[in-house]
Amino acid sequence: MPRSLEPLDLGIQIPYHFRCPISLELMRDPVTVCTGQTYDRTSIESWVSTGTDTTCPVTRAPLSDFTLIPNHTLRRLIQEWCVANRSNGVERIPTPKQPADPTSVRALLSQASAACGTHVSVRSRAAALRRLRAFARDSEKNRVLIAAHNAKEILIRILFSDVAPELVSESLALLAMFPMTEPDQCESIISDAGRVGFLTRLLFDSSIETRVNAAALIEMVVTGSKTADIKGTVLTSECIFEGVIDLLRNPTVTSSPRRALKIGVKALFALCLAKNTRRIAVSSGAPEILIDRLAAGLDRCDTERALATVELLCRTAEGCAAFGEHALTVPLLVKTILRVSDRATEYAAGALLALCTAEERWRDEAVAAGVVVQLLLMVQSECTERAKRKAQKLLKLLRDSSPDYSFANSDDFACSEVVPF
């Protein structure tokens, strides 16, 4: 009879040797250390990473070698036990994917970056990139390992120096999986008109996946660059906006429509942060597609970012005009207040303030949509102070422009202090 512990969160007993000695939980990826003791991979890696104790937790013997050897036999026994107890609510543990090792990563990066004219073919280089991408998809740990081997610099070099379409698409797909947080790295791309032009052309590639990845890289380097003048000078091509907006217009043609939408919204927001790009965004059709996508429904984060973009574009006369002409803009913004999140409320109120300041007809439309009640609720709610200031300023605008509005004598409004921006 196997030795058992008392049940934890399941209504059955778990065999003692199926539990990790550190966490006392059922092992999902059992590995054996140099002392012969088996632990769950996550638990022993966490134990070792603390750096305070390099002994085996059970035997207390020194861990002279930190190599973790997968215990396939025990893993299969655990999986069989899970299947046998499926009727008791136990889920089968999937076979874990083995983490990449530094030697393999170095070899693959070397193969991928081999210079033209060497014995390494384009096909072999692309295969190396695909293998690295498979590693990167498996886990965050693998991505950290790959990035630690100067992978981003290598991939940037491949992307902008190779003409083989297969290498371009593979290097771009892998590069898009890593955050571009180093300003110098971002500016090496965004300050180079040739590189920006190349990424812009990729936004119209025959492969929709390449288009999505190009938009993802553009968003990352624009966001990561700290030089506003560079962004404002280089990102003035209508083609960039047309390519990004087309992703938002036709996300269902991709294998992952949700990712295409998310990247499209993020990229458009990043591009509109530079003041002199906003008129280009408006002329490229950004207002219409943003309102259409908001009306169709986005997740919370995408809704917040899309509304932030709407507010940015409403800071231009062209933006106000374009949004105001869309029949859904004003009622959608009013409906959004206090419905999604504090940030969404703040951005919606800011956009409404800009629209109502621009033209009287949009003030009338907002009042007809019930904005007064929403604004009064905002003032009394726990939303951000900036949102409340926008609400108070819009209430004052509506009151001053038309004293006949029903809220003119509202006690709630009378008690509200209008705080300047």
Side-chain angles (χ1 to χ4, degrees):
M1 290 291 292
R3 182 183 171 193
S4 300
L5 293 176
E6 290 299 314
L8 293 177
D9 54 349
L10 296 173
I12 57 174
Q13 291 181 325
I14 301 175
Y16 176 82
H17 57 283
F18 287 178
R19 291 190 175 189
C20 174
I22 298 175
S23 67
L24 299 182
E25 299 289 340
L26 186 69
M27 288 187 280
R28 304 180 66 84
D29 186 6
V31 292
T32 302
V33 298
C34 60
T35 62
Q37 183 65 45
T38 297
Y39 302 94
D40 195 38
R41 183 186 294 276
T42 301
S43 296
I44 191 62
E45 285 181 340
S46 178
W47 173 277
V48 172
S49 67
T50 61
T52 58
D53 195 342
T54 56
T55 60
C56 175
V58 171
T59 66
R60 309 307 298 175
L63 291 174
S64 57
D65 182 355
F66 295 109
T67 302
L68 304 179
I69 302 173
N71 191 328
H72 297 299
T73 300
L74 180 57
R75 175 181 49 76
R76 283 193 291 269
L77 289 172
I78 292 174
Q79 288 175 324
E80 291 170 2
W81 180 84
C82 290
V83 171
N85 288 277
R86 186 166 45 193
S87 60
N88 295 314
V90 179
E91 295 184 1
R92 184 181 184 277
I93 295 173
T95 301
K97 295 181 178 179
Q98 296 306 307
D101 67 271
T103 302
S104 297
V105 168
R106 284 193 295 270
L108 289 169
L109 286 171
S110 176
Q111 180 178 331
S113 60
C116 295
T118 65
H119 65 284
V120 182
S121 66
V122 168
R123 179 178 296 181
S124 295
R125 294 175 65 193
L129 290 170
R130 280 192 293 272
R131 182 62 177 150
L132 286 166
R133 186 147 63 108
F135 278 141
R137 278 196 300 260
D138 284 346
S139 68
E140 173 64 22
K141 182 179 178 181
N142 283 355
R143 291 192 289 276
V144 170
L145 173 64
I146 295 170
H149 285 79
N150 201 33
K152 284 186 279 188
E153 286 294 340
I154 293 172
L155 293 171
I156 289 172
R157 190 162 57 248
I158 295 172
L159 174 63
F160 293 112
S161 64
D162 276 282
V163 294
E166 193 174 7
L167 292 176
V168 169
S169 62
E170 289 295 339
S171 60
L172 176 62
L174 182 53
L175 190 58
M177 298 177 73
F178 297 97
M180 299 286 287
T181 55
E182 301 85 351
D184 290 346
Q185 212 166 52
C186 294
E187 287 168 14
S188 72
I189 297 174
I190 206 67
S191 64
D192 188 321
R195 289 183 169 186
V196 172
F198 181 69
L199 288 176
T200 301
R201 290 192 293 275
L202 291 180
L203 289 173
F204 300 90
D205 194 83
S206 58
S207 165
I208 186 63
E209 301 305 326
T210 295
R211 291 166 58 193
V212 172
N213 289 327
L217 184 57
I218 288 172
E219 184 274 328
M220 286 192 288
V221 298
V222 170
T223 303
S225 174
K226 303 302 181 184
T227 308
D229 290 343
I230 290 178
K231 290 188 282 189
T233 302
V234 178
L235 302 174
T236 54
S237 167
E238 288 189 5
C239 290
I240 294 181
F241 289 91
E242 290 169 0
V244 170
I245 289 169
D246 192 57
L247 284 182
L248 293 171
R249 188 175 289 116
N250 302 295
T252 55
V253 299
T254 72
S255 59
S256 179
R258 186 173 178 179
R259 178 173 181 254
L261 274 177
K262 182 172 290 293
I263 288 174
V265 170
K266 289 178 70 175
L268 185 56
F269 171 68
L271 290 167
C272 290
L273 287 173
K275 290 182 179 180
N276 61 339
T277 64
R278 294 170 193 168
R279 289 184 176 85
I280 301 172
V282 171
S283 64
S284 300
E288 179 183 4
I289 194 62
L290 282 169
I291 297 301
D292 288 345
R293 280 298 159 207
L294 284 165
L298 296 169
D299 67 25
R300 183 181 63 81
C301 289
D302 291 343
T303 296
E304 291 174 350
R305 197 171 276 112
L307 287 168
T309 311
V310 172
E311 185 180 10
L312 286 174
L313 296 181
C314 280
R315 294 176 183 176
T316 68
E318 298 88 346
C320 274
F323 280 111
E325 293 302 327
H326 197 300
L328 295 179
T329 298
V330 172
L332 186 147
L333 292 174
V334 173
K335 183 180 178 181
T336 298
I337 292 175
L338 299 176
R339 291 283 296 273
V340 179
S341 68
D342 285 350
R343 284 186 176 183
T345 293
E346 179 184 331
Y347 300 141
L352 282 168
L353 177 58
L355 288 167
C356 291
T357 302
E359 289 199 30
E360 182 179 356
R361 58 179 172 141
W362 296 327
R363 292 196 288 273
D364 294 338
E365 189 176 347
V367 171
V371 74
V372 173
V373 173
Q374 295 293 79
L375 294 174
L376 291 172
L377 289 172
M378 277 182 66
V379 171
Q380 300 175 64
S381 72
E382 296 182 357
C383 62
T384 65
E385 289 303 314
R386 292 199 329 183
K388 289 183 181 181
R389 288 198 295 270
K390 292 175 183 179
Q392 291 164 341
K393 193 166 186 177
L394 182 49
L395 280 167
K396 185 178 186 302
L397 172 68
L398 295 173
R399 183 194 64 182
D400 292 347
S401 61
S402 183
D404 295 332
Y405 283 147
S406 61
F407 68 93
N409 298 316
S410 167
D411 291 337
D412 289 326
F413 179 66
C415 295
S416 300
E417 177 188 1
V418 179
V419 182
F421 284 94

